[in-house]
Amino acid sequence: MATETVAPACEEEAAEIVREAAAKGIHLEIAGGGTKRGIGQIFQADRLLSTAGLTGISHYDPAELVLTARAGTPVAEIEAALAENGQMLAFEPGDWRGLFGANGIPTIGALAAANISGPRRLIAGAARDALLGVRFVNGAGEVIKNGGRVMKNVTGLDLVKLMAGSWGTLGLVTEVSFKVLPRAETETTLVIHGAHEDEAANLMSAAMGTSAEVSGAAHLPESVAKRSGLDGGSATVLRLEGFPESVAARLGRLKAALRSAANASEMDETASKSLWADIRDVAPFAGTMKPLWKISVAPLAGHDVAAMILREVRGEAFHDWQGGLVWLQLDEEGDASGGIVRSAVAKCGGGHATLIRAAEDIRAVTPVFQPQAAPVAALAERVRAALDPAGIFNPGRMVWNGGRKAA
């Protein structure tokens, strides 16, 4: 990673830095607050190009339900502005600083570039679904604008969705526009205690099939539940949000639909918010450098994937997104190559497995991002070459090179 840092104060200055880098063959590591620099393949860069100087909310009219901000704006500043108007980023972005022991500040541009989405994703969609517009600097130092501030926008190629989840490998994001939604007046969580993983998967599926409008569905095994302050064995947790009268009525319907789950309790708003913040931020697996995998599969396959892996290696897992997101932490001597993890995913219907956290020696020998089929990989490389022909942005961060030292 780069040691020298440049932090442009405006978009044109950023474009000039990129043009110089392209002309001189200088590799740039792109970062916001630096809280997720430990994710991706090991790569080398000559300079760190930071968006820390590109800050501020450039447009926000609560009546429009759209907010535009420069890429380096702290997510906390965005959320505070929205809270003043009873609004929120519906996809519930996580704060992963605890996973890496990072001291930086999460920024809105990095959130978009990494497509970070929390527990409400199962009903509100991912960050990319709320992203309406972007401005970015491509590898030639040109400023590109795509999308806008309206919900329906037809502007040719959908570069907005392309940039979401590109991890700074296609361009330097300088400004983003997000759709926002009203914040719920209250929330409560129904906790079902003691369910086994397969039973929990069926309970979550049944809950999502009711008219209760569940906005969060997760399962925490006993060891994980204890770390989030829940006693009574494992915890299958189902969140309801909205107006108080509506939440009460829907809770009654949910309990009636799940009447076979006798050992249940309810959490008040304060406790519910705290629990879902832990799930959002993957707090049960913070404070260590043990390998951490983020596995996305079909909801009813999540418990089978976790069980298959944990029969081969030691570790623990919990489930979000109705079981479709498996957070899997392995012991340090666990599956260094990812072969066991990805084999289990393939055997259980397919999906994606990303190595979110691991020591550098493990990341050096592991495909961090899910390997792509050859035709898809070839298309991805053509897109990258079109936007960054000199290959100066985060070179090799997303591409497994067989363990060879990155250029």
Side-chain angles (χ1 to χ4, degrees):
M1 290 189 177
T3 55
E4 178 189 356
T5 300
V6 289
C10 65
E11 187 178 70
E12 181 49 43
E13 185 181 346
E16 179 57 37
I17 291 171
V18 172
R19 285 192 289 269
E20 178 192 7
K24 297 181 178 180
I26 296 171
H27 291 147
L28 299 173
E29 178 187 355
I30 296 177
T35 61
K36 291 174 281 294
R37 291 179 73 194
I39 301 175
Q41 305 297 160
I42 303 296
F43 68 94
Q44 295 179 346
D46 304 302
R47 294 176 185 167
L48 189 149
L49 177 53
S50 170
T51 62
L54 305 175
T55 61
I57 297 173
S58 47
H59 176 82
Y60 175 40
D61 182 345
E64 295 179 344
L65 296 177
V66 176
L67 181 146
T68 301
R70 297 176 187 89
T73 308
V75 174
E77 182 180 326
I78 302 291
E79 293 183 325
L82 293 173
E84 287 181 3
N85 293 281
Q87 296 179 342
M88 65 177 179
L89 294 168
F91 55 90
E92 205 169 1
D95 181 349
W96 291 354
R97 282 178 288 185
L99 295 181
F100 302 97
N103 297 318
I105 304 297
T107 61
I108 193 69
L111 185 157
N115 191 35
I116 303 297
S117 312
R120 206 179 289 110
R121 182 194 186 282
L122 80 173
I123 63 164
R128 65 161 51 92
D129 299 306
L131 188 61
L132 300 176
V134 294
R135 290 176 67 94
F136 67 95
V137 180
N138 69 8
E142 301 167 328
V143 176
I144 308 295
K145 178 183 177 182
N146 190 248
R149 298 173 181 168
V150 295
M151 305 301 177
K152 186 176 287 187
N153 196 305
V154 181
T155 55
L157 295 175
D158 195 352
L159 298 180
V160 174
K161 300 297 188 288
L162 185 66
M163 297 302 291
S166 63
W167 290 90
T169 60
L170 300 179
L172 171 70
V173 174
T174 57
E175 187 178 77
V176 294
S177 294
F178 275 105
K179 173 178 66 177
V180 301
L181 289 178
R183 182 183 297 269
E185 285 192 7
T186 190
E187 69 176 69
T188 188
T189 293
L190 180 67
V191 184
I192 301 169
H193 303 275
H196 296 294
E197 272 68 12
D198 55 347
E199 181 186 3
N202 290 325
L203 285 169
M204 289 188 288
S205 178
M208 295 304 298
T210 70
S211 61
E213 299 177 31
V214 174
S215 67
H219 176 72
L220 315 178
E222 182 175 9
S223 61
V224 176
K226 283 183 177 179
R227 277 173 243 163
S228 292
L230 296 173
D231 296 320
S234 68
T236 307
V237 292
L238 305 166
R239 179 177 61 185
L240 303 178
E241 299 176 290
F243 299 110
E245 298 82 0
S246 171
V247 169
R250 286 153 45 215
L251 178 62
R253 294 200 298 270
L254 181 61
K255 291 166 69 175
L258 304 179
R259 57 185 177 274
S260 61
N263 190 11
S265 63
E266 300 166 24
M267 303 182 78
D268 62 22
E269 180 179 6
T270 299
S272 178
K273 286 182 180 295
S274 176
L275 171 66
W276 288 99
D278 272 5
I279 295 171
R280 176 198 70 198
D281 299 340
V282 204
F285 293 156
T288 177
M289 278 305 295
K290 292 181 179 181
L292 177 67
W293 288 87
K294 179 177 181 283
I295 304 171
S296 296
V297 292
L300 287 174
H303 68 285
D304 288 330
V305 169
M308 189 177 295
I309 296 168
L310 294 176
R311 282 196 291 268
E312 301 291 331
V313 293
R314 291 197 300 271
E316 55 184 341
F318 74 88
H319 307 262
D320 197 1
W321 300 353
Q322 192 200 324
L325 171 60
V326 181
W327 285 107
L328 175 75
Q329 179 174 274
L330 300 179
D331 288 348
E332 295 184 47
E333 66 272 20
D335 183 24
S337 70
I340 294 172
V341 170
R342 293 200 167 105
S343 175
V345 170
K347 290 176 181 177
C348 293
H352 293 84
T354 303
L355 182 58
I356 293 293
R357 181 187 64 204
E360 287 196 1
D361 58 338
I362 294 178
R363 289 162 55 212
V365 297
T366 307
V368 170
F369 294 96
Q370 181 72 26
Q372 298 174 321
V376 177
L379 178 60
E381 176 57 24
R382 287 174 61 190
V383 170
R384 188 208 60 75
L387 290 174
D388 179 20
I392 62 172
F393 292 136
N394 286 357
R397 183 178 194 176
M398 293 192 73
V399 180
W400 169 242
N401 64 5
R404 298 184 300 275
K405 189 175 181 180

